[in-house]
Amino acid sequence: MDNNETLLNELYKNTTMGGDAIIDLMDKAENPEMRTEMTRELEKYREYSKRAASLLSERGLKPEEPGMMAKAGSKMGMAFNTMLDTTTSHLAEMMINGATMGIINIEKQLNSGEHSNEARALAEDVLKFEKSTAENLARFL
């Protein structure tokens, strides 16, 4: 697998997991403004996931789905984290932590070698989105 395929697969997994996490947390959010923010973010995650899948498809590849263990760990972690605290502040903190993990993963991939213009552009778009997500959610802390 070349650097572009690795980057695009990581972007696909990152955005898919981000969207899935929002879906899992959405019913716990009682604040209407928070729900609106979550919906906006979910739409963007889905958009970026589709773009990554499309770029992989152009290369004759199918996107790698997030691993079962990663999905299960994420779901269990969210269930545990929201068992006693479903305040807007706590949900925002969880989402900021998720966005920060995404930022770290994308930065690592971008620094791992050369990438095509298309793959790099998508990574930079997702990176910018993850950073703005963390900033937008800070108002709910």
Side-chain angles (χ1 to χ4, degrees), residues 50-128:
K50 285 179 187 174
R51 282 177 57 191
S54 177
L55 288 172
L56 284 163
S57 179
E58 288 173 13
R59 291 171 158 67
L61 302 166
K62 287 186 178 181
E64 291 178 9
E65 294 297 325
M68 208 139 120
M69 293 301 288
K71 282 183 171 184
S74 176
K75 281 191 179 293
M76 287 176 22
M78 282 188 287
F80 180 75
N81 266 306
T82 57
M83 196 177 305
L84 299 174
D85 188 355
T86 59
T87 61
T88 299
S89 175
H90 185 66
L91 296 178
E93 182 180 349
M94 290 173 62
M95 292 175 64
I96 290 169
N97 288 338
T100 301
M101 286 174 36
I103 291 166
I104 291 167
N105 288 338
I106 294 167
E107 290 284 7
K108 281 182 180 179
Q109 288 300 317
L110 284 172
N111 292 331
S112 70
E114 295 296 315
H115 303 285
S116 69
N117 290 338
E118 297 88 0
R120 179 169 285 283
L122 177 57
E124 289 173 355
D125 286 349
V126 174
L127 189 59
K128 194 180 308 179

Side-chain angles (χ1 to χ4, degrees), residues 6-20:
T6 301
L7 175 61
L8 291 171
N9 271 307
E10 285 301 315
L11 291 170
Y12 178 81
K13 288 189 262 188
N14 178 320
T15 55
T16 299
M17 293 278 291
D20 290 349

Side-chain angles (χ1 to χ4, degrees), residues 6-61:
T6 301
L7 175 61
L8 291 171
N9 271 307
E10 285 301 315
L11 291 170
Y12 178 81
K13 288 189 262 188
N14 178 320
T15 55
T16 299
M17 293 278 291
D20 290 349
I22 290 173
I23 290 168
D24 290 343
L25 292 175
M26 187 83 79
D27 66 332
K28 294 174 180 16
E30 294 179 13
N31 180 315
E33 288 180 45
M34 178 65 155
R35 289 182 68 82
T36 299
E37 178 66 23
M38 292 170 90
T39 300
R40 184 191 70 76
E41 289 177 20
L42 176 59
E43 290 171 4
K44 291 300 282 183
Y45 277 122
R46 286 182 173 162
E47 173 192 325
Y48 290 129
S49 181
K50 285 179 187 174
R51 282 177 57 191
S54 177
L55 288 172
L56 284 163
S57 179
E58 288 173 13
R59 291 171 158 67
L61 302 166

